[in-house]
Amino acid sequence: MSRRQAREFALQALYQLDLNPADVQDLEAQEQQALDTAFMESEASVNKRTRAYAGMLVHGARAQLAAIDEAIGAHAKGWKVARMAAVDRNIARIAVFELVHAEPPVDAGTAINEAVELAKLYGTDDSAKFLNGVLDAIAKEQAKGQKNETSE
């Protein structure tokens, strides 16, 4: 299994949690239950590395949800995050987490490409183009911020 498959599992779990909001007191258990459901639906066995990466994506994206949604909303050209298609919203959340919050961050080209591929599989005809634009803008802003930090 691969990181791409981990991203697919994370997308399935985040989608489920997005449409069925978790009880604030038991977030971790609900995240794990959503992941377990995604893993069980897989026809192949899921190795520990794939499970761990998917879990890190789900937990990380949900832990940084406010900051991630703010970044998406700032670059979505008039679209409010809550009004986006749930699949697009959650693909973007995974990619922004990988770009901005993951340690170490995922290369921008890789994160954007993986998001676009997920959008082609699970989104609408316009999803890939829309997400590519939003994520590219976020990546450019992130790179600009890192460049400013190193020059100070």
Side-chain angles (χ1 to χ4, degrees):
M1 295 246 152
S2 65
R3 282 192 172 194
R4 177 169 288 176
Q5 290 165 319
R7 290 179 184 97
E8 286 186 45
F9 291 131
L11 173 60
Q12 291 170 11
L14 287 171
Y15 181 88
Q16 178 182 339
L17 291 165
D18 195 18
L19 296 183
N20 302 304
D23 180 5
V24 177
Q25 295 182 351
D26 210 7
L27 292 176
E28 216 170 286
Q30 289 172 336
E31 287 173 4
Q32 190 58 54
Q33 183 180 10
L35 281 164
D36 288 343
T37 300
F39 297 146
M40 283 189 313
E41 291 176 359
S42 174
E43 294 177 8
S45 64
V46 183
N47 67 38
K48 287 181 183 179
R49 286 179 53 185
T50 300
R51 287 176 183 267
Y53 197 74
M56 186 269 302
L57 291 174
V58 170
H59 181 71
R62 290 177 47 88
Q64 298 294 330
L65 191 62
I68 290 170
D69 282 358
E70 183 178 325
I72 295 167
H75 296 88
K77 298 180 182 168
W79 280 90
K80 293 184 183 205
V81 175
R83 303 245 331 140
M84 290 178 189
V87 169
D88 295 353
R89 177 173 57 237
N90 286 295
I91 292 171
R93 286 172 174 166
I94 291 168
V96 173
F97 173 76
E98 287 186 310
L99 283 167
V100 179
H101 301 284
E103 286 298 327
V106 174
D107 171 71
T110 301
I112 293 169
N113 184 57
E114 291 294 322
V116 167
E117 291 303 315
L118 283 174
K120 288 177 183 177
L121 283 172
Y122 298 105
T124 66
D125 291 340
D126 298 325
S127 295
K129 184 178 177 181
F130 172 72
L131 288 173
N132 187 53
V134 171
L135 296 172
D136 185 58
I138 292 170
K140 285 178 181 173
E141 182 178 277
Q142 180 73 5
K144 189 176 174 182
Q146 289 174 345
K147 185 177 178 181
N148 289 340
E149 285 177 12
T150 58
S151 66
E152 290 178 356

